[in-house]
Structure formats: structure tokens, C-alpha cells
């Protein structure tokens, strides 16, 4: 088997205008290790295997569509992040990317902490035995009931996102007779996405409290006076799918600047800063993500340098990768149903899932790769659009890609890097039954989230 360059497919439709396009130079049977989880290979018959199990067997046992999660890869990524940041920092896995009880147990075993941002995520974390002190609670509009639950459980930190919430959490903690450890989420005026970041004028969004007009300093002033709160630090999260560290650099500099102002005004040096998540992964061969140790070094260098120049003790750093841990560890397996060649345009390949199991393409114009995985093929590449079975023309899974021209109904195709924000954003549109998540490891496959059934749907419909 080989794991070299996999054709990414064109990034934009206009690269391959109607009627003529350039087929990729690489062999469609080759798998790019960047976009597939670590134990994925092809066996001698050309069928894809993960965790030592062949996809046709997995499809037979678990059906399609289904997400297959490479458990040893997930654990290895957790360890890589934990090792890279070491004992002087904390890694919080962002549960919204994908959360289940099995994942919570893996995180505990691999020494990670956990971010939650709703009562449901908190319930999952606690039910699976995550110690409350290792949980951080996020969100721009936590309900009173959610805050009460988090305070009662004793979560390690609540990240405060508004003035109302500062008062609300203080009140609830005081009533419960505790002091809740909190951070204040600030917006540093940086928004980063993929290869770009914009360093000004991005306060126009719902999260956090702006640094720019002194709002964040005022939030700190209030938090420091309230008995129910123990302010442990400042939090900043600048975006998603980021490759360029420059946005983090600006963010860290501005957060450290605020720490210096807090010291000058209040005589306290806050012990922690959280730089959020948002680190990018490879969805196609054109993406070049950084390794956790490079990210850790870059962040700790920036913070250390900025603190030295501000005369501050270096605070404890935390980070919150979600996508970067779980994203690369899973692929979605689909069966091809219909194939429609549109003369002079492209071929539409319909699969048995779609926007109900992967909304990212419709929502953000996300790029994905795709491969024929039930067999190898020597056929010519054909330009395809992989679409779902939903009643929506925007129901696209992979916008532009190449698959072999002998693709046929019944073939299995897989879309890699669907571990993050696919199952967690899945819907029941058209009364679709949300697919299972199957963990595969060392020749064993285990359902960790089962497939929905029609009974599940009908149970909620109480007539
Ligand atoms: C979404 C989010 C994350 C995780 O983002 P990824 O892109 O999955 O790494 C981390 N922290 C906060 C506050 C978030 O909202």
C-alpha cells in the first residue's frame, strides 16, 4: 500500500471551467497520510482498512453512512498535545467538536481536560466520570440552570462572556456558599481563519468582552470585587481552522498587555491565560497543519517574551484544541447510490447521507477530499461532486473532487477528516437517522454512539 499524495481535487470550481479540466497527476488509489487517520492503509486487494479492519466488513456490520473513528490515533493526538505543552500548561479538549462518553474516558486516560459549552455536554462529561475540576464551562448565554449545575458540580472554571454573566455567576456561587474560579473571555480584535487573520475591527460578533474600549478592564474590575468569584485569568479564542500563528501572536500580546494593566491598577498578577483553540487540520492535500510541539513552542515563546517585556511572571497557559484532536481521526463511509454525468459539467455522485451528517460544506463552503475505498481502480479520473440524498440543492458533501470513472452504484466511498463538527452538528433533516460513530482499534470495532432508529424519531413525536 502507499500513503503518498492523494489528489486534493480542485479548490475552486473556476480552476476547472466547464467542459475542460486537468485531471490530477497523482494516482487516485494513493492515500495522502495527511488527510487520513494514522492506521488507515489499503490492503493488497485495494480495499481501505482502518485499525486493521477492512471497510467492506465494517459497512456490512455497521451499515452506511457511518463515522469510523481511529481510537489509537485519537489517543496519540491527545498524548502529543499533552506532551507538547508539558506540566506547565493545560490542554482542554473542546467537546463541541465531538463528545461522547467513550471520548470523555479516553481524555481522562490520556490526561486531558475538557471544555463544555452546554448543559448537555456538561451532563455527558460528568456522567462519564470526568472530574469536575478538569472541566471548563463556556458559552455566551449559559442559562441560570446550567450555571447552577456547573457551580454545584464544582467545575474548574467558568469562562465569563458578558457583564450580566459576571453578576449571575457571582450571585449563584455566593448563594451556593462557594467561590467559583472564573476566567473572563475577551475579544482582542483579531479574527483568524485558515491562512489569514485580520487584526482590527472584529469586535462585531457575539462572543467575549472587547478589550479595545476598556470594557474588558471594566469586567475585570467588577469580577475582582465580587465575593462569589475567584478571577484566575483571561481567555481569548480567535477563530477556527487557523494555520498562521500570527493571529495568536497578536492575541497573546494583547492579553498580556491586559494582565500588565490589571497588575498596575489592582496590584494582582492573574495566574493564567487561555489562548483558545482553532488550530487547523488537513482536509485536503493542500492544507499543511502544524504539529502540536511547534504550536506549543510558538505560543509559549510569545507569552514568555511578552511577559518579560511587561515585567510579569509568566502565567500558566491553557489551550483548547477540538478539531485538531478529533478532526483527523475519523472518516465518513458512504455507499454510492446514483451517478449522474452532466455533459460538459461534472458527474454528480449521490451517497446515502449528506448535509444531515456533514453540514460543513453547506454551512462554510468547507473543502473535503474523497476516495473510492472498497476497491482500487485503474480507471481515468472523473470530476465529481459528491452530494447527499436530501431535498436541498445545497446538499453537497464534497464540492469538487476526482473519483475513478468506473465508479458504480454500490461502491463505498469515504470522506476523511470528518471527526470534528460533523456528528456533533448532525441533524434529522428529512427525518434522516443520524449515523453511528464506531471506534476502531487493533482489529476491533465498537459502536460508541449508535445509529438512530425510526423508533428514536417517533419517540419524540408524541402525537
Ligand atoms: C470552538 C472553540 C474551541 C475549539 O475550536 P477548534 O477549532 O475545534 O479547535 C476552543 N475554545 C473555544 C472557546 C471555542 O469556542
Amino acid at each position: 500500500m502507499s500513503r503518498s499524495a492523494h489528489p486534493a481535487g480542485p479548490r475552486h470550481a473556476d480552476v476547472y471551467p466547464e467542459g475542460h479540466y486537468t485531471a490530477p497527476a497523482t494516482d487516485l488509489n494513493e492515500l495522502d497520510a495527511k488527510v487520513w487517520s494514522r492506521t488507515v492503509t489499503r490492503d493488497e486487494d485495494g480495499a481501505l482498512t482502518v485499525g486493521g479492519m477492512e471497510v467492506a466488513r465494517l459497512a456490512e456490520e455497521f451499515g452506511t453512512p457511518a463515522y469510523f473513528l481511529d481510537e489509537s490515533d485519537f489517543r496519540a493526538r491527545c498524548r502529543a498535545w499533552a506532551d507538547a505543552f508539558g506540566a506547565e500548561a493545560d490542554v482542554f479538549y473542546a467537546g463541541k467538536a465531538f463528545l461522547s462518553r467513550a471520548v470523555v474516558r479516553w481524555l481522562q486516560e490520556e490526561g486531558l481536560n475538557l471544555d463544555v459549552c452546554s448543559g448537555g455536554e456538561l451532563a455527558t462529561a460528568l456522567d462519564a466520570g470526568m472530574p469536575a475540576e478538569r472541566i471548563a464551562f463556556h458559552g455566551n448565554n449559559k442559562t441560570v440552570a446550567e450555571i447552577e449545575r456547573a457551580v454545584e458540580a464544582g467545575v474548574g472554571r467558568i469562562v465569563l462572556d458578558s457583564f450580566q454573566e459576571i453578576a449571575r455567576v457571582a450571585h449563584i456561587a455566593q448563594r451556593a456558599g462557594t467561590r467559583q474560579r472564573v476566567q473572563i473571555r475577551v475579544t482582542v480584535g483579531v479574527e483568524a481563519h485558515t491562512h489569514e487573520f485580520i487584526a482590527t475591527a472584529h469586535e462585531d460578533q457575539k462572543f467575549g468582552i472587547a478589550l479595545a474600549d476598556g470594557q474588558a478592564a471594566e469586567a475585570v474590575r467588577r469580577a475582582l470585587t465580587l465575593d462569589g468569584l475567584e478571577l484566575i485569568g483571561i481567555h481569548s479564542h480567535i477563530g477556527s481552522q487557523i494555520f498562521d500563528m500570527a493571529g495568536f501572536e497578536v492575541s497573546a500580546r494583547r492579553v498580556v498587555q491586559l494582565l500588565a494593566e490589571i497588575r498596575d491598577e489592582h496590584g494582582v498578577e492573574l495566574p493564567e491565560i487561555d489562548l483558545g483553540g482553532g488550530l487547523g487540520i488537513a482536509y485536503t492535500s493542500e492544507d499543511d497543519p502544524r504539529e502540536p510541539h511547534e504550536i506549543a513552542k510558538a505560543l509559549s515563546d510569545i507569552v514568555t517574551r511578552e511577559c518579560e517585556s511587561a515585567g510579569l511572571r509568566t502565567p500558566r497557559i491553557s489551550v483548547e484544541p477540538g478539531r485538531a484532536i478529533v478532526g483527523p481521526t475519523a472518516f465518513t463511509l458512504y455507499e454510492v447510490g446514483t451517478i449522474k454525468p452532466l455533459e460538459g459539467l461534472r458527474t454528480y455522485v449521490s451517497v446515502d447521507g449528506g448535509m444531515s451528517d456533514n453540514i460543513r460544506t453547506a454551512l462554510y463552503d468547507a473543502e473535503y477530499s474523497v476516495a473510492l475505498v472498497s476497491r482500487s481502480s485503474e480507471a481515468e479520473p472523473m470530476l465529481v461532486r459528491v452530494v447527499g440524498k436530501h431535498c436541498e440543492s445545497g446538499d453537497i458533501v464534497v464540492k469538487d473532487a476526482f473519483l475513478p470513472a468506473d465508479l458504480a452504484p454500490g461502491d463505498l466511498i469515504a470522506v476523511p477528516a470528518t471527526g470534528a463538527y460533523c456528528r456533533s452538528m448532525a441533524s434529522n433533516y428529512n427525518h434522516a437517522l443520524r449515523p453511528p460513530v464506531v471506534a476502531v482499534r487493533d482489529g476491533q470495532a465498537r459502536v460508541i454512539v449508535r445509529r438512530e432508529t425510526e423508533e428514536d424519531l417517533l419517540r419524540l413525536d408524541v402525537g
Side-chain angles (χ1 to χ4, degrees), residues 94 96-97 115 138 185 235 237 239-241 276-279 320-324 421:
K96 69 181 198 239
D115 270 4
H138 280 274
R185 177 162 173 180
H235 181 284
H237 172 73
S240 60
Q241 186 59 4
L279 288 315
E320 306 174 313
R323 184 193 319 271
Y421 305 106

Side-chain angles (χ1 to χ4, degrees), residues 271-292:
E272 297 189 19
I273 68 173
D274 188 315
L275 295 172
L279 288 315
I281 63 165
Y283 286 103
T284 76
S285 295
E286 277 155 63
D287 295 325
D288 271 313
R290 298 188 177 221
E291 293 295 324

Side-chain angles (χ1 to χ4, degrees), residues 8 12 20 32 81 86 113 117 159 178 189 199 210 232 236 246-247 261 268 278 281 305 328 331 416 430 433:
H12 303 290
H20 62 284
D32 183 350
W81 278 86
N113 307 288
C117 56
V159 181
T178 63
I232 59 167
S236 162
E261 286 167 28
V268 290
I281 63 165
R305 194 182 61 224
F331 61 81
N430 293 137
L433 304 169

Side-chain angles (χ1 to χ4, degrees), residues 117 139-141 160-162 185 187 191 202-210:
C117 56
N140 67 301
N141 187 19
L160 302 172
D161 194 275
S162 66
R185 177 162 173 180
T187 39
E191 184 164 295
H202 272 274
E203 269 92 22
D204 191 4
Q205 45 102 351
K206 71 172 185 171
F207 291 111
I209 300 176

